[in-house]
Amino acid sequence: MTCEEALEKIYDVIDNEASEIDCQRVREHLDHCRDCTSRYEFEEKLRAFINRRSPDPERSDRLKKKILECIDCDDDSSLPRRRCSFRFCAVALSAAIALIICIISAFAVAKFYRHKVYIYPFERQHMQREANLLSGNPSFEEWISARDFLGNDLQLAVDVNTTGHELVRVGSDEILGGEFAHLRFIDNGVHISLFVGAAEGVKLPDFEPVVLSEMEYYKHVCGQCQMIYWISGNVITIAVTENKGFDLTTLFPVVRPI
Amino acid sequence: MSSRQSQKDAKRESFEKEALVHLDSLFRTALRMTKNEGDADDLVQETFLKAYRFWDKFEKGTNCRAWLFKIMTNIFINNYRAKAWTPQTIDLEDVDDDFLFGQLSALGPPEDPEKQFFNKVFDDDVKRAVEELPEDFRLVVVLSFLEGFSYQEIADIVDLNIGTVKSRLHRGRKLLQKSLWDYAVKNGFVKEAAK
């Protein structure tokens, strides 16, 4: 083996990726080539150097404790008793939020509080349950299993191929007192959440109606965040993004109930 | 209720024994990726919560650590990656494969510049050099150097083919060597060799 050949394989050997035969041949070469040996040793040293660990046992104990606590409360939330109280919480929460919105609009206080109030139910409780879509772009089969996972009467056809929105997460949430499918999209770095659920009983104050030739929707802007919703049949779709410049109406064709 | 409780306990126990033992390893990588401890904490926590939810689906006996890293990488890419991400173009034409070694050996004896280099460059400098790598390279370098994953495992974790993993690792190495060298020269740890 020449020096050139040996150096070509050297990283594979250091990364433990070379075949046994290659390893053997590189080592044989190193045995009688001082120059290559010092290169090899240097690379090995550099790798070990970067890998120097600085463990902080106190920190990881703390983190571990926190995670276990979260797991325990996560577990509890799957018990029926807790689910009821969750639902109650959601109703109470939306009532409280409606009240806060009224008070705040009445006093016409700073816009960003309203922004916070609106964002809260969407962002803080998002994805209470999530489908097993660990890969970035779910396949058709994964999507089908996600649909099963949603488990209610709502069946959705999601058309992601024609619109350029990438579906990254699928789950369901209890918001505004009802069960909603939650779909998270990314479009050119802009994150968009779609909540799809039964329109009945959902009240969203402060939305301005917008009438387009083909359909009617309602819009609300607060701070950097914008939301629109539209109703087709008995299904309401709420689209939320934190990017004010994004055209949410491009989401119209993405989801339709079937 | 009690059988449900014992089921729950068993799940928690197996999760603690098989998954939570990788916490340090995940945290170390999270720290390199997010570059701050608060975000790293959140990322690791989110990863374990998600893992716990899908713990029943995880095939016991397969590579749990790689599975956790895959979950974490996905969360990172979807939620933490800088929003205005643009692909970076890097010109590495003039950087040799063993750039740092070449520079150091050009300095030659008698003071053994290599030894000097390793004695003087600190953890912080290495940390900085790693964190300065563009995200795509950083992820692959960290998974290989810090976590010791094989090329194939990395390919599975970040959803790339093995050729791309190798080339990113290769270029990441070059960038790392260049940045460590520049740092050492800037701080006077070594004197730049005469060309």
Side-chain angles (χ1 to χ4, degrees), chain B residues 99 103-104 106-107 178 181-182 184-186 188-195:
Chain B
F99 176 83
Q103 295 283 346
L104 288 172
L107 299 177
K178 174 120 178 54
W181 169 255
D182 290 348
V185 170
K186 205 173 100 198
F189 299 152
V190 291
K191 288 195 182 65
E192 193 154 14
K195 297 229 161 159

Side-chain angles (χ1 to χ4, degrees), chain A:
Chain A
M1 192 179 236
T2 65
C3 287
E4 243 168 54
E5 286 169 327
L7 287 178
E8 209 170 277
K9 295 269 177 230
I10 228 169
Y11 288 119
D12 285 349
V13 174
I14 289 170
D15 290 339
N16 270 331
E17 295 281 342
S19 66
E20 227 166 89
I21 300 166
D22 280 343
C23 261
Q24 183 74 28
R25 291 181 61 205
V26 169
R27 292 204 190 281
E28 272 166 20
H29 176 83
L30 293 180
D31 278 346
H32 62 258
C33 177
R34 247 192 75 72
D35 197 30
C36 284
T37 303
S38 55
R39 275 175 193 226
Y40 176 83
E41 280 173 354
F42 178 81
E43 290 296 341
E44 219 176 25
K45 232 189 273 176
L46 185 67
R47 197 188 153 109
F49 186 68
I50 288 167
N51 196 14
R52 254 202 320 218
R53 290 158 195 217
S54 42
D56 179 357
E58 212 174 282
R59 181 179 190 96
S60 56
D61 276 354
R62 213 169 44 227
L63 189 57
K64 190 174 163 185
K65 221 176 123 203
K66 211 159 110 191
I67 289 166
L68 284 171
E69 272 168 19
C70 284
I71 282 174
D72 288 338
C73 72
D74 205 48
D75 245 9
D76 287 345
S77 70
S78 65
L79 297 175
R81 182 177 49 83
R82 287 283 293 187
R83 274 182 74 167
C84 288
S85 81
F86 247 109
R87 188 154 290 159
F88 174 75
C89 276
V91 173
L93 198 67
S94 19
I97 287 162
L99 191 67
I100 292 168
I101 292 168
C102 288
I103 294 168
I104 291 176
S105 7
F107 288 96
V109 189
K111 272 183 182 166
F112 86 87
Y113 283 112
R114 288 167 64 181
H115 165 77
K116 266 193 172 165
V117 167
Y118 269 108
I119 283 299
Y120 184 75
F122 299 119
E123 290 302 320
R124 298 299 294 185
Q125 298 196 332
H126 72 169
M127 302 285 181
Q128 285 174 2
R129 286 181 296 286
E130 199 169 333
N132 192 10
L133 298 179
L134 296 180
S135 61
N137 216 347
S139 67
F140 181 70
E141 286 73 23
E142 279 175 312
W143 168 245
I144 291 296
S145 74
R147 201 182 61 179
D148 292 345
F149 161 85
L150 291 174
N152 51 22
D153 300 336
L154 186 65
Q155 299 234 318
L156 302 170
V158 175
D159 185 357
V160 282
N161 294 327
T162 54
T163 52
H165 306 94
E166 189 193 353
L167 179 63
V168 289
R169 294 172 80 186
V170 173
S172 66
D173 279 318
E174 250 172 51
I175 55 165
L176 302 165
E179 182 83 351
F180 279 71
H182 182 169
L183 312 168
R184 173 75 70 90
F185 296 90
I186 293 180
D187 184 338
N188 282 324
V190 178
H191 290 243
I192 308 137
S193 275
L194 275 194
F195 298 90
V196 192
E200 204 188 341
V202 174
K203 287 207 171 46
L204 293 160
D206 287 355
F207 278 65
E208 298 283 335
V210 183
V211 183
L212 294 177
S213 57
E214 71 273 27
M215 78 184 286
E216 187 184 299
Y217 68 97
Y218 299 84
K219 184 173 176 127
H220 181 83
V221 180
C222 45
Q224 270 308 303
C225 160
Q226 56 157 332
M227 281 174 250
I228 67 170
Y229 74 88
W230 63 95
I231 294 173
S232 75
N234 54 358
V235 171
I236 183 171
T237 308
I238 308 166
V240 186
T241 179
E242 288 192 60
N243 186 317
K244 221 162 104 183
F246 188 81
D247 182 7
L248 283 174
T249 63
T250 56
L251 271 307
F252 282 161
V254 175
V255 181
R256 62 197 145 78
I258 47 174

